[in-house]
Amino acid sequence: MSEPMVKAEAVHKRFGRHEVLRGIDLAVAAGEVLCLLGPSGSGKSTFLRCINHLEKINSGRLSVDGELVGYRQVGGKLHELRESEVARKRAEIGMVFQHFNLFGHMTALDNVTCAPINVRGVPRARARERGRELLERVGLEDKLDAYPAQLSGGQQQRVAIARALAMEPKLMLFDEPTSALDPELVGEVLDAMRKLAAEGMTMIVVTHEMGFAREVADTVVFMDDGVVVESGRPGEVLANPRHERTRAFLSKVL
Amino acid sequence: MSSPEVTDTAGRPDEIRAVPVRRPGRWIAAAVVVLVAAAIGRSVATNTRFEWDVVGSYLFDERILEGLRVTVELTVIAMAIGIVLGVLMAVMRLSPNPLVSGASWLYIWFFRGTPVLVQLLFWYNIAALYPKINLGIPFGPSFIHADANTVITPFTAAILGLGLNEGAYMAEIVRAGIISVEEGQSDAAQSLGMTRLQAMRRIVLPQAMRVIIPPTGNETISMLKTSSLVSVIAVADLLYGAQIIYSVNFKTIQLLIVASLWYLALTSILYVGQYYLERYYGRGAVREEPLTPLQRIRLGLFARHEEGGR
């Protein structure tokens, strides 16, 4: 079996004295779509932020595409990576946030082209051409020059997806991408994600959209209180949860 | 009894034409304002001691214009130093390194904690403390040697005093701007592969500008006026020019009016500059850009024109 895209072994994360992650073991294969479910405060979002090193883990091992996140192992010792090295690795991982976090002072197209131009050094004209393609792919070809404040939540989130894709990531992280949206706007964002999954993108999605998880996910993982309670194919976990806590959670959200 | 028609004959909703509420208070207030304004206006016009002809004759006096130039120069240079130092100190203040943020805190504490007039006098007299200025590696060799009295002219003392003091105030303004930008913005920037500094420069600071500009405009206007303090260390600014003239001809009030008119003119120009800067950095923050006064006038004329044509 080939190296998994994301591999977590006994990952622990503390904020002060509060243990948010208490030993996460997880593997995500290339091309796999994994949905992380669980009540709020269970550590799903924190785990996602650990994968691109926005949060530092306290113990355990976490690797992406065979390389440790945030460290380099030389002999038996871990060496912290320099900021520029961390940044380079982050650039290969796309992230979509609950509150979109679009750059408010830039148009949709500038949001999409900003990182390729400034981080990767892609020539302006090329970046803009590619940016237009990406925005067209998420159905926003007529919103290139709109500022985020002029877009609906669903449109903003689709720009955010295009912005992440502009860096040609090998892995996409979605942190509750539809939780801040009006119900009638959720569909357009899920459609864009569905398309992406069909194209073979490796995706980790923290979500409360059970329909999406059932339909698109290869694996669903149920987390509670900083540990993985159970995981498996969506049909099994969602239909016949083995664990009491999973059952209790699903009975509330389904 | 018939109620008023809600729609006109074509079925369009009828515009409401109601009898307006009487507001006697407004009329009384307006009358008071007009009365007071008329009284002040009459006194200014009829009090011959204003000697407006004298004011007029000195308005473009060479010494006044030279002082004006110095005042503008001082304001521009001191603000430039203040802004650069302010950004630097604000970024240092937010640094995770306690020594770096501590140094910034100390700087702000010191320069905000002493009167700017005291600082000006201090720099003016710095030669008493350091007669010779040597620049080089601390505890090592020095490369530049200079005599403090020749390097620290009154003008340099003024620049140092005003600029360093301004830096401390600007640091707090910039810091407020930076922390007003949500953390999600730098999260997003970093997730795209930007370093902390790149995220600060390209994403956070441009958005912080919206919060930073209005108080910076205030600071600039205030600096323009505070710069008049330098007349005590013999820098020939606008006020100094006026003082030089009235110390000879004793037209004190008239020359103070001349200086005031110039200060007012300069601050008015700054108002306009601030308006356009705010508008520029506000882009994206509002759904519709506010119109410039010029656009508003044009639109107003146009709209009236259209209405007349109907």
Side-chain angles (χ1 to χ4, degrees):
Chain A
M1 197 189 134
S2 66
E3 188 78 28
M5 180 59 80
V6 177
K7 193 172 170 201
E9 297 166 276
V11 167
H12 283 74
K13 170 70 190 170
R14 280 190 310 271
F15 287 116
R17 308 184 95 189
H18 179 53
E19 253 199 327
V20 185
L21 301 179
R22 302 186 299 133
I24 302 283
D25 292 285
L26 204 76
V28 186
E32 186 178 351
V33 175
L34 182 138
C35 281
L36 271 177
L37 315 177
S40 59
S42 59
K44 309 172 304 262
S45 293
T46 304
F47 179 62
L48 216 57
R49 290 168 63 85
C50 288
I51 295 175
N52 68 358
H53 209 48
L54 283 177
E55 304 290 351
K56 237 185 221 181
I57 63 175
N58 295 108
S59 66
R61 286 283 187 279
L62 185 55
S63 60
V64 172
D65 206 10
E67 289 179 47
L68 282 182
V69 173
Y71 302 93
R72 185 189 301 109
Q73 192 155 17
V74 183
K77 262 199 172 143
L78 287 183
H79 296 256
E80 256 184 44
L81 292 184
R82 277 198 303 273
E83 198 196 348
S84 58
E85 294 172 306
V86 173
R88 210 173 310 130
K89 289 197 172 180
R90 274 196 197 121
E92 299 175 341
I93 304 173
M95 186 159 192
V96 174
F97 299 85
Q98 181 177 0
H99 297 289
F100 332 130
N101 298 0
L102 287 184
F103 305 138
H105 59 309
M106 294 182 182
T107 63
L109 186 58
D110 287 337
N111 262 282
V112 176
T113 58
C114 173
I117 292 172
N118 294 308
V119 175
R120 288 263 165 81
V122 175
R124 205 174 184 79
R126 263 231 7 80
R128 289 181 77 83
E129 190 189 319
R130 172 102 179 104
R132 255 180 237 118
E133 278 170 34
L134 283 167
L135 284 171
E136 200 175 318
R137 241 171 84 187
V138 293
L140 292 172
E141 57 277 5
D142 53 339
K143 296 290 182 191
L144 300 180
D145 296 320
Y147 284 99
Q150 297 162 331
L151 298 173
S152 75
Q155 291 170 333
Q156 288 190 54
Q157 196 59 299
R158 284 185 283 154
V159 174
I161 292 173
R163 176 175 72 176
L165 290 178
M167 294 298 277
E168 289 165 356
K170 53 189 177 189
L171 165 68
M172 284 283 284
L173 308 174
F174 291 86
D175 188 4
E176 302 200 25
T178 58
S179 298
L181 296 177
D182 289 340
E184 85 265 26
L185 302 177
V186 168
E188 61 191 62
V189 171
L190 292 183
D191 278 342
M193 291 168 61
R194 219 171 266 134
K195 240 198 244 174
L196 200 56
E199 287 165 18
M201 175 64 77
T202 312
M203 294 163 58
I204 303 181
V205 185
V206 172
T207 187
H208 295 297
E209 293 293 328
M210 294 304 150
F212 177 82
R214 187 178 299 125
E215 180 198 341
V216 181
D218 300 301
T219 312
V220 297
V221 169
F222 177 72
M223 274 177 71
D224 191 15
D225 203 16
V227 292
V228 172
V229 176
E230 67 179 295
S231 66
R233 309 204 64 78
E236 299 159 14
V237 176
L238 296 179
N240 303 305
R242 275 166 293 155
H243 207 283
E244 181 50 41
R245 273 191 283 177
T246 320
R247 262 198 292 275
F249 175 73
L250 290 176
S251 72
K252 276 183 216 144
V253 294
L254 282 178
Chain B
M1 201 184 132
S2 72
S3 63
E5 289 296 322
V6 177
T7 55
D8 63 7
T9 43
R12 280 180 305 219
D14 225 359
E15 206 143 302
I16 292 176
R17 286 195 193 82
V19 180
V21 170
R22 306 275 169 224
R23 294 191 164 87
R26 284 190 190 178
W27 286 102
I28 295 168
V32 170
V33 168
V34 169
L35 198 70
V36 171
I40 293 174
R42 195 185 67 129
S43 130
V44 169
T46 57
N47 184 346
T48 52
R49 292 188 200 181
F50 271 101
E51 297 184 57
W52 289 105
D53 53 322
V54 176
V55 171
S57 68
Y58 281 107
L59 200 54
F60 296 100
D61 186 283
E62 205 177 303
R63 287 160 291 183
I64 294 291
L65 292 183
E66 176 59 22
L68 186 67
R69 193 184 62 77
V70 171
T71 291
V72 170
E73 225 173 77
L74 268 178
T75 307
V76 170
I77 299 176
M79 276 313 291
I81 292 175
I83 289 170
V84 171
L85 268 176
V87 172
L88 185 72
M89 288 298 150
V91 173
M92 279 172 67
R93 189 73 203 279
L94 297 167
S95 156
N97 183 335
L99 268 180
V100 171
S101 73
S104 162
W105 183 89
L106 202 69
Y107 172 89
I108 295 168
W109 172 78
F110 184 80
F111 283 98
R112 279 209 310 184
T114 50
V116 65
L117 183 55
V118 173
Q119 288 173 36
L120 281 169
L121 291 169
F122 197 89
W123 286 110
Y124 184 59
N125 294 303
I126 193 77
L129 195 58
Y130 292 104
K132 294 250 181 287
I133 295 174
N134 296 314
L135 285 182
I137 300 163
F139 306 110
S142 61
F143 311 115
I144 298 169
H145 314 269
D147 181 43
N149 267 324
T150 50
V151 177
I152 310 290
T153 62
F155 190 78
T156 15
I159 292 289
L160 281 171
L162 294 175
L164 290 174
N165 185 262
E166 189 55 38
Y169 285 94
M170 282 307 301
E172 290 296 276
I173 290 172
V174 173
R175 191 170 69 97
I178 290 174
I179 53 184
S180 78
V181 178
E182 328 164 60
E183 235 170 304
Q185 293 287 310
S186 50
D187 276 355
Q190 291 189 24
S191 80
L192 288 165
M194 292 188 207
T195 59
R196 254 170 49 92
L197 268 176
Q198 277 178 318
M200 181 62 78
R201 194 164 79 86
R202 302 217 172 260
I203 307 301
V204 177
L205 276 180
Q207 298 190 75
M209 288 305 269
R210 212 165 54 81
V211 175
I212 293 173
I213 293 282
T216 305
N218 268 344
E219 287 296 307
T220 312
I221 287 169
S222 153
M223 172 65 78
L224 189 72
K225 295 172 297 169
T226 310
S227 71
S228 64
L229 287 178
V230 301
S231 56
V232 301
I233 56 171
V235 175
D237 75 326
L238 178 55
L239 178 61
Y240 191 81
Q243 286 172 330
I244 289 286
I245 300 172
Y246 72 62
S247 65
V248 177
N249 67 6
F250 302 109
K251 301 284 185 196
T252 310
I253 292 293
Q254 289 69 29
L255 280 147
L256 288 178
I257 290 175
V258 166
S260 302
L261 287 175
W262 278 116
Y263 281 120
L264 277 172
L266 289 177
T267 46
S268 307
I269 294 170
L270 290 176
Y271 267 84
V272 177
Q274 182 178 348
Y275 177 84
Y276 281 94
L277 263 180
E278 272 181 37
R279 191 169 174 278
Y280 175 75
Y281 281 107
R283 76 198 191 284
V286 281
R287 270 158 200 266
E288 246 172 281
E289 252 184 28
L291 298 173
T292 64
L294 254 176
Q295 285 173 329
R296 226 173 281 164
I297 290 168
R298 224 176 291 149
L299 205 75
L301 289 176
F302 195 65
R304 210 164 305 146
H305 192 72
E306 211 175 40
E307 221 163 17
R310 240 193 300 170

XYZ file of all heavy atoms in Angstrom, chain A residues 158-223:
501
model
N -17.422 30.225 -2.426
C -16.933 29.653 -3.683
C -15.665 30.369 -4.133
O -14.754 29.735 -4.679
C -18.030 29.735 -4.754
C -19.103 28.653 -4.519
C -20.124 28.641 -5.622
N -21.079 29.734 -5.476
C -21.744 30.273 -6.500
N -21.540 29.843 -7.737
N -22.612 31.240 -6.290
N -15.576 31.692 -3.908
C -14.323 32.399 -4.204
C -13.204 31.814 -3.342
O -12.087 31.576 -3.810
C -14.444 33.919 -3.935
C -13.087 34.601 -4.108
C -15.467 34.546 -4.872
N -13.527 31.544 -2.068
C -12.508 31.009 -1.153
C -12.002 29.650 -1.649
O -10.814 29.345 -1.540
C -13.078 30.885 0.258
N -12.920 28.855 -2.200
C -12.502 27.548 -2.738
C -11.581 27.766 -3.941
O -10.512 27.151 -4.052
C -13.739 26.696 -3.121
C -14.500 26.292 -1.851
C -13.321 25.458 -3.907
C -15.831 25.600 -2.110
N -11.974 28.697 -4.826
C -11.134 28.993 -5.995
C -9.770 29.512 -5.553
O -8.740 29.165 -6.135
C -11.826 30.012 -6.893
N -9.759 30.354 -4.503
C -8.502 30.909 -4.009
C -7.567 29.793 -3.543
O -6.370 29.810 -3.832
C -8.793 31.864 -2.838
C -7.555 32.416 -2.185
C -7.890 33.427 -1.123
N -8.472 32.799 0.060
C -8.780 33.458 1.172
N -8.573 34.756 1.233
N -9.305 32.840 2.209
N -8.138 28.808 -2.825
C -7.309 27.698 -2.346
C -6.817 26.862 -3.521
O -5.659 26.434 -3.554
C -8.100 26.839 -1.365
N -7.692 26.641 -4.516
C -7.311 25.800 -5.655
C -6.239 26.448 -6.514
O -5.484 25.762 -7.202
C -8.542 25.504 -6.527
C -9.574 24.568 -5.899
C -10.755 24.405 -6.838
C -8.953 23.215 -5.579
N -6.155 27.787 -6.470
C -5.189 28.497 -7.310
C -3.758 28.088 -6.983
O -2.867 28.238 -7.807
C -5.357 30.003 -7.137
N -3.536 27.575 -5.772
C -2.184 27.153 -5.409
C -1.927 25.704 -5.810
O -0.901 25.129 -5.462
C -1.962 27.320 -3.902
C -1.985 28.765 -3.432
S -0.694 29.750 -4.179
C 0.694 29.363 -3.114
N -2.885 25.107 -6.522
C -2.772 23.718 -6.956
C -2.371 22.802 -5.814
O -1.330 22.142 -5.855
C -1.792 23.621 -8.136
C -2.431 24.222 -9.351
C -1.479 24.528 -10.488
O -0.270 24.347 -10.322
O -1.985 24.953 -11.524
N -3.214 22.750 -4.789
C -2.873 21.962 -3.604
C -3.039 20.467 -3.866
O -3.771 20.074 -4.771
C -3.900 22.438 -2.580
C -5.080 22.847 -3.379
C -4.542 23.397 -4.666
N -2.327 19.672 -3.047
C -2.494 18.231 -3.186
C -3.505 17.725 -2.156
O -3.865 16.552 -2.162
C -1.150 17.531 -3.006
C -0.419 17.902 -1.736
C 0.990 17.340 -1.752
C 1.750 17.769 -0.506
N 3.172 17.417 -0.585
N -3.931 18.624 -1.285
C -4.857 18.258 -0.216
C -5.703 19.480 0.106
O -5.194 20.594 0.146
C -4.043 17.838 1.016
C -4.756 17.733 2.367
C -5.738 16.574 2.354
C -3.737 17.548 3.491
N -6.999 19.269 0.301
C -7.866 20.398 0.657
C -8.515 20.137 2.012
O -9.044 19.050 2.266
C -8.970 20.574 -0.396
C -8.513 21.214 -1.687
S -8.281 23.001 -1.548
C -9.962 23.579 -1.570
N -8.446 21.168 2.874
C -9.073 21.076 4.191
C -10.280 22.013 4.210
O -10.165 23.178 3.837
C -8.079 21.510 5.272
C -6.705 20.834 5.245
C -5.777 21.474 6.275
C -6.839 19.341 5.497
N -11.413 21.499 4.624
C -12.619 22.339 4.697
C -13.084 22.391 6.146
O -13.416 21.373 6.728
C -13.743 21.739 3.837
C -13.482 21.806 2.361
C -12.749 20.809 1.731
C -13.954 22.854 1.602
C -12.506 20.862 0.374
C -13.721 22.915 0.233
C -12.995 21.913 -0.378
N -13.101 23.587 6.729
C -13.489 23.728 8.129
C -14.915 24.265 8.216
O -15.123 25.476 8.159
C -12.507 24.683 8.832
C -12.746 24.719 10.331
O -13.603 23.954 10.816
O -12.082 25.527 11.012
N -15.876 23.366 8.326
C -17.295 23.735 8.364
C -17.637 24.772 7.287
O -18.112 25.880 7.594
C -17.664 24.291 9.750
C -17.373 23.303 10.856
C -18.144 23.622 12.124
O -19.215 24.263 12.015
O -17.689 23.224 13.208
N -17.433 24.418 6.030
C -17.550 25.426 4.971
C -18.960 25.961 4.771
O -19.126 27.007 4.158
C -17.089 24.672 3.717
C -17.311 23.240 4.029
C -17.068 23.100 5.495
N -19.972 25.265 5.272
C -21.341 25.739 5.017
C -22.057 26.182 6.288
O -23.218 26.566 6.252
C -22.184 24.632 4.347
O -22.197 23.476 5.182
C -21.620 24.257 2.994
N -21.345 26.146 7.424
C -22.028 26.423 8.698
C -22.475 27.874 8.843
O -23.380 28.184 9.590
C -21.120 26.082 9.873
O -20.829 24.720 9.838
N -21.791 28.795 8.119
C -22.141 30.208 8.281
C -23.075 30.684 7.177
O -23.281 31.873 7.015
C -20.863 31.054 8.286
N -23.633 29.733 6.407
C -24.432 30.126 5.240
C -25.922 29.993 5.500
O -26.366 29.139 6.260
C -24.066 29.237 4.046
C -22.640 29.339 3.537
C -22.411 28.348 2.406
C -22.359 30.749 3.062
N -26.690 30.845 4.819
C -28.143 30.676 4.830
C -28.469 29.345 4.160
O -27.795 28.952 3.207
C -28.806 31.803 4.041
C -28.705 33.126 4.766
O -28.484 33.097 5.990
O -28.832 34.173 4.107
N -29.517 28.657 4.638
C -29.809 27.319 4.126
C -29.877 27.250 2.600
O -29.374 26.295 2.004
C -31.159 26.987 4.749
C -31.226 27.813 5.979
C -30.434 29.045 5.707
N -30.450 28.267 1.948
C -30.600 28.132 0.495
C -29.293 28.332 -0.251
O -29.228 28.132 -1.454
C -31.703 29.054 -0.032
C -31.275 30.471 -0.333
C -31.538 31.407 0.832
O -31.583 30.937 1.993
O -31.694 32.617 0.586
N -28.214 28.743 0.458
C -26.932 28.947 -0.204
C -25.982 27.772 -0.005
O -24.925 27.712 -0.620
C -26.262 30.223 0.333
C -27.066 31.515 0.174
C -26.320 32.668 0.796
C -27.355 31.786 -1.293
N -26.390 26.829 0.869
C -25.508 25.705 1.188
C -25.261 24.859 -0.061
O -24.134 24.457 -0.341
C -26.134 24.844 2.313
C -25.389 23.531 2.459
C -26.114 25.618 3.626
N -26.317 24.659 -0.839
C -26.239 23.767 -2.004
C -25.148 24.146 -2.982
O -24.385 23.284 -3.432
N -25.021 25.455 -3.285
C -24.057 25.860 -4.300
C -22.622 25.575 -3.871
O -21.777 25.231 -4.699
C -24.232 27.350 -4.636
C -24.016 28.291 -3.470
C -24.459 29.728 -3.781
O -25.660 29.945 -4.043
O -23.579 30.601 -3.773
N -22.359 25.693 -2.559
C -21.009 25.413 -2.060
C -20.755 23.901 -2.080
O -19.691 23.444 -2.509
C -20.821 25.994 -0.646
C -19.506 25.531 -0.042
C -20.871 27.517 -0.704
N -21.755 23.134 -1.638
C -21.585 21.673 -1.642
C -21.398 21.163 -3.072
O -20.607 20.241 -3.309
C -22.783 20.998 -0.987
C -22.923 21.235 0.521
C -24.105 20.454 1.079
C -21.651 20.851 1.264
N -22.083 21.787 -4.032
C -21.916 21.383 -5.431
C -20.471 21.545 -5.882
O -19.909 20.663 -6.528
C -22.826 22.228 -6.339
C -24.248 21.679 -6.350
O -24.425 20.511 -5.957
O -25.170 22.430 -6.730
N -19.903 22.710 -5.532
C -18.508 22.962 -5.915
C -17.589 21.921 -5.294
O -16.640 21.441 -5.920
C -18.096 24.362 -5.497
N -17.887 21.539 -4.027
C -17.041 20.545 -3.344
C -17.232 19.158 -3.949
O -16.279 18.385 -4.081
C -17.381 20.531 -1.851
C -16.953 21.808 -1.142
S -17.653 21.952 0.505
C -16.970 20.513 1.286
N -18.480 18.864 -4.325
C -18.784 17.575 -4.948
C -17.985 17.410 -6.230
O -17.386 16.377 -6.502
C -20.286 17.547 -5.259
C -20.949 16.211 -5.020
C -22.447 16.335 -5.138
N -23.069 16.562 -3.835
C -23.999 17.478 -3.606
N -24.431 18.281 -4.557
N -24.517 17.591 -2.390
N -17.961 18.504 -7.029
C -17.221 18.498 -8.300
C -15.751 18.192 -8.041
O -15.132 17.390 -8.723
C -17.338 19.882 -8.945
C -17.989 19.875 -10.323
C -17.649 21.166 -11.035
C -18.884 21.996 -11.296
N -18.554 23.322 -11.863
N -15.221 18.871 -7.013
C -13.811 18.730 -6.676
C -13.503 17.287 -6.284
O -12.489 16.714 -6.701
C -13.512 19.679 -5.513
C -12.086 20.081 -5.276
C -11.496 20.691 -6.532
C -12.053 21.085 -4.132
N -14.397 16.694 -5.490
C -14.206 15.307 -5.055
C -14.216 14.382 -6.260
O -13.403 13.453 -6.364
C -15.299 14.910 -4.067
N -15.122 14.659 -7.205
C -15.230 13.810 -8.393
C -13.962 13.877 -9.231
O -13.617 12.930 -9.940
C -16.437 14.233 -9.229
N -13.241 15.011 -9.142
C -12.000 15.148 -9.909
C -10.824 14.455 -9.227
O -9.710 14.478 -9.744
C -11.665 16.634 -10.095
C -12.587 17.321 -11.087
C -12.508 18.833 -10.994
O -11.518 19.335 -10.422
O -13.446 19.496 -11.463
N -11.079 13.891 -8.049
C -10.044 13.096 -7.404
C -9.209 13.834 -6.372
O -8.156 13.353 -5.954
N -9.673 15.025 -5.931
C -8.940 15.768 -4.910
C -9.026 15.038 -3.559
O -10.079 14.495 -3.213
C -9.549 17.171 -4.784
C -8.963 18.028 -3.682
S -7.231 18.431 -3.923
C -7.326 19.704 -5.172
N -7.913 15.013 -2.843
C -7.925 14.495 -1.480
C -8.526 15.572 -0.577
O -8.077 16.709 -0.606
C -6.491 14.190 -1.004
O -5.827 13.455 -2.018
C -6.495 13.419 0.287
N -9.561 15.216 0.172
C -10.265 16.237 0.951
C -10.545 15.760 2.370
O -10.945 14.621 2.570
C -11.605 16.596 0.277
C -11.445 17.268 -1.067
S -12.935 17.281 -2.108
C -14.125 18.110 -1.104
N -10.339 16.650 3.330
C -10.798 16.398 4.692
C -11.814 17.480 5.006
O -11.504 18.677 4.908
C -9.641 16.437 5.709
C -8.579 15.411 5.311
C -10.163 16.151 7.105
C -7.407 15.350 6.274
N -13.030 17.065 5.332
C -14.121 18.023 5.464
C -14.731 17.919 6.858
O -15.260 16.862 7.225
C -15.214 17.747 4.403
C -16.287 18.818 4.468
C -14.615 17.674 3.005
N -14.618 18.981 7.626
C -15.342 19.045 8.894
C -16.719 19.584 8.557
O -16.849 20.662 7.967
C -14.646 19.992 9.888
C -15.513 20.195 11.119
C -13.289 19.440 10.277
N -17.763 18.830 8.847
C -19.080 19.269 8.411
C -20.193 18.748 9.305
O -20.011 17.801 10.067
C -19.347 18.834 6.953
O -20.557 19.420 6.502
C -19.442 17.327 6.843
N -21.330 19.428 9.221
C -22.544 18.932 9.854
C -23.556 18.526 8.799
O -24.706 18.257 9.112
C -23.136 20.004 10.770
C -22.256 20.334 11.932
N -21.936 19.404 12.895
C -21.610 21.466 12.273
C -21.131 19.969 13.782
N -20.911 21.224 13.428
N -23.120 18.554 7.514
C -24.023 18.174 6.419
C -23.998 16.663 6.241
O -23.167 16.119 5.526
C -23.591 18.870 5.124
C -23.746 20.367 5.120
C -25.205 20.784 5.155
O -26.054 20.056 4.591
O -25.497 21.832 5.757
N -24.925 15.977 6.908
C -24.902 14.514 6.873
C -25.174 13.984 5.464
O -24.608 12.982 5.042
C -25.953 13.950 7.835
C -25.630 14.267 9.277
S -23.983 13.662 9.718
C -23.538 14.863 10.948
N -26.037 14.699 4.726
C -26.350 14.264 3.359
C -25.094 14.256 2.501
O -24.831 13.298 1.775
N -24.311 15.317 2.631
C -23.065 15.423 1.863
C -22.114 14.300 2.266
O -21.510 13.640 1.417
C -22.421 16.784 2.115
C -21.101 16.977 1.434
C -21.043 17.353 0.109
C -19.911 16.771 2.126
C -19.821 17.526 -0.532
C -18.689 16.935 1.493
C -18.653 17.314 0.161
N -21.984 14.078 3.563
C -21.075 13.040 4.053
C -21.488 11.677 3.495
O -20.658 10.902 3.005
C -21.076 13.010 5.580
N -22.782 11.386 3.531
C -23.262 10.084 3.080
C -22.987 9.889 1.604
O -22.555 8.834 1.162
C -24.761 9.960 3.358
C -25.322 8.569 3.064
C -26.790 8.475 3.387
N -27.069 8.722 4.800
C -27.925 9.647 5.240
N -28.581 10.405 4.383
N -28.127 9.807 6.533
N -23.172 10.985 0.852
C -23.100 10.872 -0.607
C -21.668 10.917 -1.121
O -21.294 10.163 -2.017
C -23.908 12.028 -1.206
C -23.935 12.069 -2.709
C -24.369 13.448 -3.199
O -24.970 14.203 -2.402
O -24.083 13.764 -4.348
N -20.836 11.826 -0.560
C -19.527 12.099 -1.165
C -18.372 11.405 -0.438
O -17.392 11.011 -1.069
C -19.275 13.622 -1.228
C -17.937 13.922 -1.878
C -20.395 14.306 -1.993
N -18.482 11.256 0.877
C -17.331 10.774 1.644
C -17.016 9.319 1.330
O -17.904 8.512 1.081
C -17.595 10.935 3.131
N -15.715 9.006 1.325
C -15.296 7.607 1.285
C -15.276 7.063 2.705
O -15.571 5.909 2.945
C -13.888 7.495 0.677
C -13.866 8.033 -0.746
O -14.621 7.511 -1.580
O -13.119 8.996 -1.008
N -14.899 7.944 3.636
C -14.809 7.548 5.036
C -15.436 8.650 5.878
O -15.260 9.818 5.567
C -13.328 7.429 5.472
O -12.638 6.662 4.495
C -13.203 6.774 6.825
N -16.175 8.291 6.909
C -16.562 9.288 7.893
C -15.917 8.917 9.214
O -15.758 7.743 9.546
C -18.090 9.439 8.077
C -18.757 9.921 6.809
C -18.699 8.164 8.566
N -15.503 9.962 9.928
C -14.862 9.757 11.226
C -15.682 10.525 12.240
O -15.974 11.704 12.040
C -13.410 10.286 11.196
C -12.827 10.322 12.591
C -12.556 9.427 10.285
N -16.084 9.869 13.298
C -16.828 10.560 14.340
C -15.895 10.842 15.506
O -15.285 9.926 16.061
C -18.028 9.717 14.795
C -18.789 10.369 15.914
C -19.572 11.489 15.674
C -18.685 9.882 17.214
C -20.254 12.103 16.711
C -19.358 10.501 18.260
C -20.149 11.605 18.008
N -15.767 12.134 15.836
C -14.891 12.519 16.947
C -15.724 13.059 18.092
O -16.747 13.707 17.891
C -13.936 13.645 16.499
C -12.665 13.167 15.841
S -11.664 14.560 15.280
C -11.078 15.219 16.839
